[in-house]
Amino acid sequence: MKKKNSHENLILEYAYLSDLYGDAIETGNHKKANKAYDELMAVYQQIKAQGALTSDAFHELLSAPSMGTRLWAATHYLVISHEESKKVLTALGEVSNSLLAVSAKMTLDEWKKGNLIL
């Protein structure tokens, strides 16, 4: 069995934490969401520092089954490909009865205004 390298392990952790975050937001568990967010941002900084945002493994997160993972991956991928990210965020923003959809819309609005620091 092939051993995963460091950035692949970080991306797996990112996927797990972003999914956990999404589930917590949708169920109204803000304490769990805040904890997942803090851990997710720490993992994101490591991925970014390793230059792994441009990896195929990170790119695949844009089509992950989890809305939370797609939301965060598309947000963080805006600096790599804003067109591709906007498509993902726009699609997420069209999901009815979802707090993550609201977040996707807000993310796009803030990106267009130049207010996001990624």
Side-chain angles (χ1 to χ4, degrees), residues 9-66:
N9 286 329
L10 286 171
I11 291 168
L12 287 172
E13 183 71 6
Y14 180 99
Y16 168 76
L17 291 167
S18 55
D19 180 51
L20 189 66
Y21 171 88
D23 287 346
I25 288 295
E26 293 291 18
T27 60
N29 188 338
H30 299 291
K31 186 175 179 180
K32 189 175 178 180
N34 289 341
K35 184 175 187 302
Y37 172 84
D38 290 342
E39 292 175 17
L40 178 65
M41 291 306 107
V43 170
Y44 165 67
Q45 290 303 324
Q46 292 177 63
I47 290 169
K48 186 177 172 184
Q50 288 186 11
L53 284 177
T54 58
S55 70
D56 289 342
F58 193 85
H59 182 263
E60 289 173 10
L61 297 179
L62 295 173
S63 58
S66 164

Side-chain angles (χ1 to χ4, degrees), residues 66-84:
S66 164
M67 275 185 70
T69 299
R70 290 194 314 275
L71 171 68
W72 280 111
T75 299
H76 290 139
Y77 207 71
L78 279 164
V79 296
I80 307 300
S81 172
H82 65 270
E83 288 303 320
E84 194 169 6

